[in-house]
Amino acid sequence: MNSQFLESLLAVSQNGSIAEAARVQGLTPAAISQRLKSLEILLGMPLTIRAGKTIRLTEAALRILPHAKQVIKEHRNLVDALNQDRISGRIACGAISTAMTGLIPKALKSLNDTGHELEIKLHPGTSAQLYNRLVADELDAVIITKPPFHIPKNIKISEIHQENLCLIAADGYLRIPSKNNKNLTDNILSNALHQQLQQHPFIRYDQNSWGGGYVKSYLDDHKLRVQELYELDALEAIAVLVNSGLGLALVPDWPAPWAEGLILDKIVIPNPNYMRQVVLLRKRETGKETAIDFIWQHLIKSNVTK
């Protein structure tokens, strides 16, 4: 059975129409229809039902769909294993937003310059969302905040870098001693800076997010009661709100670039207890280890040379 025909069946299932499946696969609608017809002849049963401009799978097609996904996966693993010398294959990689803008662009440029034939499809999301997709075998690798729980043995974790917490405020908003010192110690911050945190409106990094947990720990450990104005799980949006003079925020000091046009005072808190660890996770024994390790090496290289 041709795995490409199964890929077209899967594309139709995911996209709801032959036209959209054709666009995603880079084929003509006629080619998709022919592949589906060939599968139906081979299996001896109808696989799709038309409903106006949309198309849905029959019960028989839905029953074989999980098996089709497994066949497609094993076929890709086989091809990847045969081509490890030149590092080729498809990698579905999830990444949090700050990695998308700060880490990944330089790494992809570096990968492209090697001449290898890696096809990397990026999927955005939160750390929790991407981790769940990795566990469900929807993604091959994810670049996320290190999970705040024990990682199963079948998942390999590789650290990319660590990010100190930093306090950010609109330019001129802060009134603290030695404001221009970008590496104040935690002892110094515990007085003037903590007072500022409690006196001004606070824009909170979602405490239920994995990264926001570090901010919550810092505030709880130092017994700081803040005047919470907003809470959201979008670091770039937090920085924009702070830049507007709405309040202060504690966020991870993620790699540049930050949003264009921001003029922020930033004070780094160099305390290892509150560092956000950005890691790459992948499942073991998938046949894609060499390719994913290759990507990880370029992420490290790009972070060092930023």
Side-chain angles (χ1 to χ4, degrees):
M1 183 177 296
N2 193 322
S3 65
Q4 293 180 337
F5 292 0
L6 294 175
E7 289 180 356
S8 292
L9 178 65
L10 181 59
V12 169
S13 171
Q14 293 173 335
N15 294 283
S17 74
I18 288 179
E20 186 62 18
R23 186 191 67 79
V24 170
Q25 289 203 291
L27 299 170
T28 64
I32 297 292
S33 296
Q34 184 57 50
R35 286 183 173 186
L36 294 179
K37 185 64 176 178
S38 297
L39 270 178
E40 290 176 335
I41 293 173
L42 179 63
L43 297 174
M45 62 185 69
L47 298 177
T48 60
I49 300 173
R50 292 186 179 275
K53 294 183 178 180
T54 63
I55 192 169
R56 61 184 178 88
L57 300 190
T58 63
E59 290 187 10
L62 291 173
R63 288 197 301 271
I64 69 169
L65 201 58
H67 304 286
K69 292 178 180 179
Q70 189 62 32
V71 169
I72 293 168
K73 179 180 177 181
E74 293 302 326
H75 179 266
R76 290 175 178 173
N77 289 344
L78 175 62
V79 173
D80 293 345
L82 292 173
N83 292 317
Q84 288 302 326
D85 288 342
R86 60 185 177 88
I87 312 294
S88 65
R90 303 180 189 179
I91 302 294
C93 183
I96 54 177
S97 61
T98 52
M100 284 281 195
T101 57
L103 289 170
I104 289 178
K106 288 184 179 179
L108 291 180
K109 177 62 168 61
S110 178
L111 283 165
N112 288 339
D113 291 344
T114 65
H116 291 285
E117 298 179 7
L118 269 175
E119 180 183 336
I120 302 173
K121 184 174 182 180
L122 298 174
H123 299 258
T126 66
S127 292
Q129 291 169 346
L130 296 173
Y131 177 83
N132 289 334
R133 293 189 66 187
L134 175 71
V135 172
D137 291 325
E138 295 177 5
L139 297 173
D140 299 310
V142 294
I143 301 167
I144 60 175
T145 299
K146 184 179 179 181
F149 50 78
H150 177 70
I151 305 296
K153 291 183 178 179
N154 69 326
I155 292 179
K156 182 178 179 180
I157 181 169
S158 301
E159 184 175 297
I160 299 173
H161 77 159
Q162 296 183 338
E163 300 165 350
N164 285 302
L165 274 187
C166 65
L167 181 134
I168 57 174
D171 184 40
Y173 193 95
L174 294 176
R175 294 291 184 270
I176 61 173
S178 304
K179 188 183 78 170
N180 293 326
N181 184 346
K182 301 304 181 182
N183 291 294
L184 295 177
T185 66
D186 195 45
N187 288 333
I188 296 175
L189 285 169
S190 64
N191 296 314
L193 185 55
H194 288 178
Q195 186 177 16
Q196 293 286 309
L197 276 168
Q198 294 180 99
Q199 289 180 347
H200 294 284
F202 186 73
I203 301 172
R204 183 189 286 271
Y205 182 16
D206 184 1
Q207 56 193 314
N208 293 316
S209 69
W210 295 353
Y214 294 105
V215 175
K216 183 179 186 302
S217 295
Y218 185 88
L219 296 175
D220 290 348
D221 291 348
H222 292 85
K223 296 180 173 56
L224 298 175
R225 293 187 176 182
V226 295
Q227 304 172 37
E228 186 173 309
L229 182 63
Y230 303 113
E231 179 176 0
L232 59 161
D233 186 13
L235 288 173
E236 297 90 342
I238 291 174
V240 171
L241 292 175
V242 168
N243 186 70
S244 299
L246 291 171
L248 307 176
L250 283 175
V251 295
D253 188 16
W254 72 86
W258 287 35
E260 185 178 356
L262 299 183
I263 304 176
L264 296 171
D265 282 335
K266 180 194 297 185
I267 299 176
V268 175
I269 304 173
N271 188 322
N273 294 324
Y274 309 106
M275 283 184 169
R276 182 174 79 156
Q277 298 180 60
V278 178
V279 298
L280 183 145
L281 299 184
R282 87 299 298 268
K283 284 193 173 181
R284 300 179 188 272
E285 300 180 0
T286 62
K288 298 187 177 184
E289 293 91 342
T290 300
I292 295 174
D293 279 337
F294 192 63
I295 295 171
W296 172 65
Q297 291 165 11
H298 282 266
L299 286 166
I300 296 293
K301 175 183 175 183
S302 298
N303 186 51
V304 170
T305 58
K306 64 183 179 180

